[in-house]
């Protein structure tokens, strides 16, 4: 576990690694230090063979309130202009790409409000389990900004273009029950059961063939923008890799021997 006071906390429970955003006093607002630590933690999880599933959640009553606006205000107060272009390219974009590209499942355990780039972070996860009291706000418009950190990519793909535009235009709060109904989250759990629900799903995913899960994520990511022929070819390439794994052989043998498979993630 990371030291108390650090912007994120990392905990391992067998093959499941949980990363907790740890600035509860400001609803886990995303400052430079947190963004750098989180990006590094996702990279570390990619490299760690023992880690087979990742959970991202928030400390306290929020998942994340998005960009730390006090940091923005302080920079303006010091007379510093902020060029959001480089800020996004250097700090947010590598994080979002890291989450979308890590070839292990990433579960967002959304414990409270997810606003602005905090909402984008939630949407970048592969699967979202939300607490009943969680909510989602495309808050960018409230501060005169454009949705970023892949909100304009993920949101329409999850909820459709018209609803995505309505949410981004209005910046209204979407509560957990609506989020479930419109496909923004996969599951809603009672507040006091969120950790258990996310852990249960994570343990289940961590026991599956990790390599095939990773390749599945790669294929589905690529399929969003591909034509049919390209995607069929891509599937063939990825299946050739999956077909050479231990877990593929184990799955076939276990089925024919009528026993549970023992996947090793390799
Ligand atoms: O490259 C770039 O940097 C540009 C990228 C921009 C991406 C973005 O994320 S833009 C959107 C930024 N986020 C927001 O606009 C959301 C701001 N927060 C809120 O609207 C509300 O806090 C919430 C709706 C999320 C929750 O409301 P509520 O009433 O439950 O809590 P609160 O009282 O507003 O907040 C509690 C504390 O957290 C409070 O501090 P205090 O009064 O106890 O000292 C508040 O100031 C602080 N806080 C909340 N959000 C932020 C924050 N401090 C800094 N930055 C925040 N984003």
């Amino acid at each position: 576990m990371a030291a108390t006071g650090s912007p994120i906390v990392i905990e391992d429970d067998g093959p499941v690694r949980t990363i907790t955003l740890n600035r509860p006093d400001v609803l886990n607002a995303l400052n430079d230090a947190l963004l750098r630590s989180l990006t590094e933690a996702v990279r570390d999880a990619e490299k760690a063979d023992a880690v087979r599933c990742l959970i991202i959640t928030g400390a306290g009553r929020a998942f994340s309130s998005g960009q730390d606006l006090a940091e923005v205000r302080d920079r303006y107060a010091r007379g510093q202009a902020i060029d959001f272009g480089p800020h996004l390219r250097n700090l947010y974009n590598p994080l979002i790409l890291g989450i979308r590209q890590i070839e292990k499942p990433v579960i967002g355990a959304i414990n409270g409000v997810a606003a602005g780039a905090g909402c984008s972070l939630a949407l970048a996860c592969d699967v979202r389990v939300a607490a009943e009291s969680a909510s989602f706000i495309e808050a960018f418009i409230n501060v005169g900004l454009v949705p970023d950190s892949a909100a304009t990519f993920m949101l329409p793909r999850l909820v459709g273009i018209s609803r995505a535009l309505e949410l981004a235009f209005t910046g209204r709060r979407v509560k957990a029950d609506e989020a479930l109904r419109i496909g923004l989250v996969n599951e809603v759990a009672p507040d006091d059961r969120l950790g258990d629900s996310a852990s249960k799903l994570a343990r289940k995913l961590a026991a599956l063939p990790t390599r095939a899960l990773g390749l599945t994520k790669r294929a589905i990511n690529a399929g969003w923008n591909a034509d049919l022929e390209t995607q069929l070819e891509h599937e063939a390439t990825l299946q050739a890799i999956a077909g050479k794994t231990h877990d593929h052989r184990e799955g076939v043998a276990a089925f024919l021997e009528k026993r549970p498979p023992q996947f090793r993630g390799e």
Side-chain angles (χ1 to χ4, degrees):
M1 191 188 294
T4 317
S6 98
I8 60 167
V9 174
I10 300 172
E11 292 164 284
D12 285 343
D13 179 9
V16 177
R17 177 165 292 180
T18 299
I19 305 175
T20 303
L21 314 183
N22 190 34
R23 303 186 70 220
D25 293 351
V26 287
L27 309 186
N28 303 314
L30 304 169
N31 64 1
D32 292 9
L34 191 155
L35 289 163
R36 286 203 176 90
S37 305
L38 184 54
T39 305
E40 195 54 42
V42 173
R43 283 195 192 125
D44 284 350
E46 170 88 270
K47 285 183 243 152
D49 289 341
V51 175
R52 293 171 66 181
C53 186
L54 208 53
I55 298 175
I56 300 179
T57 193
R61 69 180 175 90
F63 178 71
S64 169
S65 58
Q67 167 62 35
D68 188 324
L69 296 175
E71 236 179 40
V72 173
R73 178 203 55 203
D74 292 347
R75 280 186 221 175
Y76 287 139
R78 289 195 299 269
Q80 295 172 352
I82 304 175
D83 189 339
F84 287 125
H87 194 236
L88 287 170
R89 289 186 195 102
N90 292 333
L91 289 169
Y92 282 94
N93 296 1
L95 170 63
I96 300 299
L97 281 172
I99 294 171
R100 292 306 317 140
Q101 290 173 352
I102 180 175
E103 296 207 342
K104 298 174 184 183
V106 180
I107 299 172
I110 316 302
N111 54 301
V113 65
C119 186
S120 305
L121 177 59
L123 300 189
C125 296
D126 299 320
V127 177
R128 279 154 296 286
V129 183
E132 271 169 354
S133 65
S135 58
F136 299 82
I137 309 176
E138 289 295 332
F140 304 89
I141 197 67
N142 302 333
V143 289
L145 292 176
V146 177
D148 62 27
S149 310
T152 61
F153 187 85
M154 300 298 297
L155 190 63
R157 283 169 169 80
L158 288 168
V159 303
I161 192 162
S162 183
R163 213 185 301 259
L165 282 166
E166 184 255 319
L167 295 180
F169 283 168
T170 62
R172 74 174 170 87
R173 190 188 286 258
V174 176
K175 293 186 177 167
D177 55 347
E178 183 185 357
L180 182 64
R181 186 164 48 76
I182 66 177
L184 211 52
V185 302
N186 302 72
E187 188 183 330
V188 175
D191 286 7
D192 62 353
R193 304 284 306 156
L194 176 69
D196 291 341
S197 296
S199 294
K200 191 173 161 201
L201 176 60
R203 282 196 300 273
K204 196 168 163 182
L205 294 176
L208 294 173
T210 307
R211 195 85 177 96
L213 288 181
L215 294 169
T216 300
K217 181 167 168 177
R218 201 195 300 180
I220 288 180
N221 277 342
W224 278 358
N225 298 311
D227 60 73
L228 177 60
E229 284 186 5
T230 307
Q231 188 64 7
L232 285 168
E233 182 49 37
H234 198 201
E235 285 176 359
T237 303
L238 299 183
Q239 200 68 294
I241 301 171
K244 293 186 177 69
T245 61
H246 161 275
D247 287 348
H248 159 61
R249 296 220 170 200
E250 167 62 7
V252 173
F255 173 76
L256 294 173
E257 292 161 21
K258 301 189 189 304
R259 62 171 173 81
Q262 294 295 318
F263 294 125
R264 299 202 305 232
E266 46 191 61

